Amino acid sequence: MKKLLILLFVLLLPICPFASYAEVDGDFYGKIASENVYLFSSPDVNSELFKLPYSYFVKINDITDDYYQVTYKDLTGYVLKNSVRLMEGTPSSPYLNTTFSIFTSYSLYEQPNTNSSAYCELSENQTLTYYGTTAGELVSDKSDIWYYASVNDNGTIYHGYIYSEVANSLPSIVINNEEFKEVDESALTNSTPEFNSLSTGTKVLLIIAILVPSAFILFFLIKPNKLNKKTKPEKKIRKVHHGDYFEFDDSDL
């Protein structure tokens, strides 16, 4: 059992740094590069929440394969790496701050369709905070656009979807012209590239380079040390012949 624990420790210790995601070192933001950049709830294109407002920013937190983990307003989510321009600096207005009201009572839904669960019931002229848009159920013949929004309902903050056709017109969205020094991904961690971002060949060579020395160390740690094991020479017992009988030498017993 002790040898097994040593084996696991020696083999896994050099690989542990590669088991975690890369953490961003410093303040970096991603500028939304087009009109169709989605915020995802997980690093999966099938988990889209809404389209982020063009020209605004997300704060970069971590690197996860082809995604950045980001913050937008009070939400944490993911964006595809190629959908934002990395910039070093802190914008004065990184997020779009706008609200809208609804002209009739309606529900705030968990998904952009009326068959999903409702978080709360909204009253006529209630004000919501706008985050972005997404396509959903075509409730009427007018549009399939839903707004992702938040609302304070009796002290509780809810985030969800509301059909755009029950909302009063959104205020005009002003383009954010803030620009900073554009950087590449290597600047985020100020270190060597993340293991997951390396090519398959490089990964294999790196693993071999780690495991071969580890195997040698392991061998010398757990192999029997035969040199230190001194075998006792077999003691010969002398017999003294006395006529017709033998007598053992007392000094040999």
Side-chain angles (χ1 to χ4, degrees):
M1 184 63 182
K2 183 178 179 181
K3 291 182 179 181
L4 178 60
L5 291 175
I6 294 173
L7 170 64
L8 292 173
F9 178 77
V10 173
L11 293 181
L12 294 180
L13 182 61
I15 304 175
C16 285
F18 301 122
S20 60
Y21 299 124
E23 238 179 72
V24 173
D25 182 16
D27 288 335
F28 294 91
Y29 283 78
K31 192 172 179 71
I32 309 304
S34 74
E35 298 280 359
N36 294 301
V37 176
Y38 275 92
L39 182 71
F40 302 99
S41 60
S42 64
D44 182 348
V45 293
N46 296 313
S47 65
E48 60 188 42
L49 291 173
F50 57 87
K51 286 192 282 189
L52 291 157
Y54 167 66
S55 79
Y56 286 85
F57 295 85
V58 288
K59 189 178 188 303
I60 309 295
N61 300 325
D62 294 297
I63 305 168
T64 306
D65 297 326
D66 295 328
Y67 298 82
Y68 294 126
Q69 188 200 67
V70 300
T71 296
Y72 182 74
K73 293 190 177 184
D74 56 346
L75 299 177
T76 297
Y78 297 83
V79 296
L80 285 166
K81 288 180 178 179
N82 60 7
S83 67
V84 296
R85 292 163 48 215
L86 296 179
M87 293 185 175
E88 184 176 12
T90 304
S92 59
S93 301
Y95 316 124
L96 175 65
N97 291 313
T98 191
T99 60
F100 65 93
S101 61
I102 56 176
F103 59 79
T104 185
S105 57
Y106 209 76
S107 298
L108 186 71
Y109 288 98
E110 183 179 357
Q111 300 295 328
N113 63 74
T114 55
N115 292 320
S116 64
S117 300
Y119 286 123
C120 60
E121 297 300 319
L122 307 174
S123 58
E124 181 182 348
N125 295 323
Q126 192 157 355
T127 299
L128 298 90
T129 299
Y130 173 83
Y131 286 74
T133 64
T134 192
E137 179 188 357
L138 182 66
V139 179
S140 68
D141 294 334
K142 296 179 180 179
S143 174
D144 64 350
I145 299 300
W146 289 67
Y147 294 156
Y148 191 89
S150 68
V151 64
N152 186 331
D153 186 59
N154 295 321
T156 301
I157 304 297
Y158 295 99
H159 295 78
Y161 298 90
I162 189 163
Y163 189 45
S164 63
E165 290 300 313
V166 302
N168 292 311
S169 297
L170 282 172
S172 298
I173 297 177
V174 178
I175 297 296
N176 187 331
N177 292 315
E178 290 184 87
E179 294 282 341
F180 299 91
K181 177 185 174 184
E182 198 160 340
V183 296
D184 59 27
E185 188 177 309
S186 62
L188 298 182
T189 56
N190 196 26
S191 63
T192 54
E194 184 190 5
F195 183 71
N196 286 335
S197 67
L198 301 177
S199 66
T200 302
T202 303
K203 289 178 182 177
V204 171
L205 290 175
L206 188 57
I207 291 172
I208 291 173
I210 291 171
L211 290 183
V212 170
S214 299
F216 277 105
I217 294 171
L218 178 66
F219 173 75
F220 287 108
L221 279 175
I222 66 175
K223 78 180 187 70
N225 193 346
K226 294 181 179 179
L227 296 177
N228 292 332
K229 289 184 177 178
K230 295 181 179 179
T231 56
K232 259 190 175 181
E234 186 179 343
K235 192 172 183 179
K236 293 182 178 179
I237 300 176
R238 290 176 296 168
K239 295 181 285 188
V240 182
H241 186 214
H242 293 284
D244 58 351
Y245 69 93
F246 289 94
E247 183 179 280
F248 291 105
D249 192 327
D250 292 341
S251 64
D252 292 331
L253 295 177

